[in-house]
Amino acid sequence: MPGLIASEMHARAQRRPDCNGFATALAVRSLRQQGHTAPPSLLAVLERCRSAQGGFGFWPQGLRPHWAPPLPDDADDTAIMALELYLAGRLTRTETRRIACQRVGTRRIARLPVLRPPWLRAGVFATWSRSAGGQDMVDCTVITNVLALLSVTGLEGIPGASESMDLLNRALDWAGDDETRASSLSPFYPDAAEWLLALDNAAAMGCQGVSILLDRVQRTPWGQAAWLHRAAPDHPICSSPYGLVVWRSPALCAVRSGAEAA
């Protein structure tokens, strides 16, 4: 499909080429932040990632690789893609608010596992758009992307928003200057640099409280290092839980560095 940003899946010694909507969405975000208009072909990719249920997934509909398992919609792809399509004029405000409420806002963590990190709390937004008895993995980068969407659409007051902001602050209190702890805050992002980029975007979207959190992150050693390697060709942009399978995208990193996307 034209417009897909190339990436590569790494699993142990195995590597597979993969073009997905997620890397494409991050490229659209980066182009916007640089003051550029994303090509229509890239925006069309994001539109095709929308499922019949109304949320968004990792791959465009019908283009999931044969080696990849079927996945439900998720809060991260939904938040990132809906936001960029709205800002590009491809979604109305009413439709974007409906997506945010129905596909993200209604799915919150109701129960916590017995063994859990000290920063985790109930009431925050879940990662996957599925019914699973109120339990799910919690990812700080995902939550940050959700808060950016809620801010732009005027939904900062919905249930789960204040709980999620509180969780982000508690998570950073716990991580402090420790890069290993910081990386564990986002199980679907193996590099804490992606949380910094999500915070930077959410702050630009006017998300209340995020600017202070962004400043705190930027004063940590790992936060300072994140700006340096976010555009490195071997930078991991996302992963399966806790990095068992990792995606890299030199093409995305080229966009982030200001070069023309491949």
Side-chain angles (χ1 to χ4, degrees):
M1 180 179 181
L4 278 163
I5 295 295
S7 65
E8 190 175 60
M9 182 276 289
H10 296 240
R12 296 186 177 91
Q14 185 181 51
R15 295 186 180 187
R16 293 182 182 270
D18 178 41
C19 294
N20 55 72
F22 175 76
T24 305
L26 292 185
V28 171
R29 173 193 284 179
S30 184
L31 288 170
R32 170 179 57 78
Q33 291 172 327
Q34 296 172 41
H36 304 307
T37 300
S41 59
L42 270 68
L43 296 172
V45 167
L46 306 194
E47 290 175 324
R48 188 162 168 180
C49 289
R50 192 172 183 187
S51 74
Q53 290 71 42
F56 292 77
F58 195 77
W59 291 282
Q61 294 296 301
L63 294 181
R64 174 174 57 87
H66 68 88
W67 45 262
L71 298 173
D73 300 345
D74 64 88
D76 204 27
D77 286 307
T78 298
I80 296 171
M81 295 179 188
L83 175 59
E84 295 306 325
L85 288 171
Y86 170 65
L87 294 176
R90 296 289 189 107
L91 284 174
T92 66
R93 180 177 174 84
T94 297
E95 180 63 12
T96 307
R97 285 167 62 92
R98 182 181 298 113
I99 292 169
C101 289
Q102 294 181 350
R103 305 309 302 169
V104 178
T106 58
R107 290 164 172 81
R108 299 166 60 200
I109 302 297
R111 296 185 293 109
L112 300 176
V114 175
L115 297 177
R116 61 181 183 269
W119 49 269
L120 191 61
R121 61 161 297 175
V124 302
F125 298 113
T127 296
W128 297 102
S129 298
R130 60 189 175 198
S131 299
Q135 282 192 326
D136 198 354
M137 298 189 74
V138 175
D139 184 299
C140 288
T141 305
V142 173
I143 286 178
T144 302
N145 287 326
V146 168
L147 291 176
L149 175 63
L150 298 182
S151 177
V152 166
T153 52
L155 294 171
E156 306 99 318
I158 68 170
S162 62
E163 293 91 336
S164 294
M165 192 67 224
D166 177 62
L167 175 136
L168 296 183
N169 280 288
R170 289 169 51 161
L172 185 55
D173 288 342
W174 177 77
D177 290 344
D178 191 317
E179 184 174 1
T180 300
R181 284 191 172 192
S183 296
S184 75
L185 300 178
S186 299
F188 294 96
Y189 288 89
D191 192 318
E194 294 300 319
W195 189 29
L196 178 68
L197 296 178
L199 289 168
D200 184 57
N201 180 65
M205 295 297 102
C207 187
Q208 293 186 356
V210 169
S211 293
I212 296 174
L213 191 60
L214 174 63
D215 181 64
R216 291 178 60 197
V217 168
Q218 291 183 122
R219 285 189 273 111
T220 66
W222 57 268
Q224 294 167 7
W227 288 120
L228 301 176
H229 55 77
R230 71 191 189 281
D234 62 345
H235 169 67
I237 62 170
C238 66
S239 69
S240 63
Y242 298 107
L244 296 178
V245 179
V246 172
W247 276 262
R248 292 183 170 87
S249 178
L252 168 61
C253 293
V255 175
R256 285 178 169 176
S257 67
E260 185 177 355

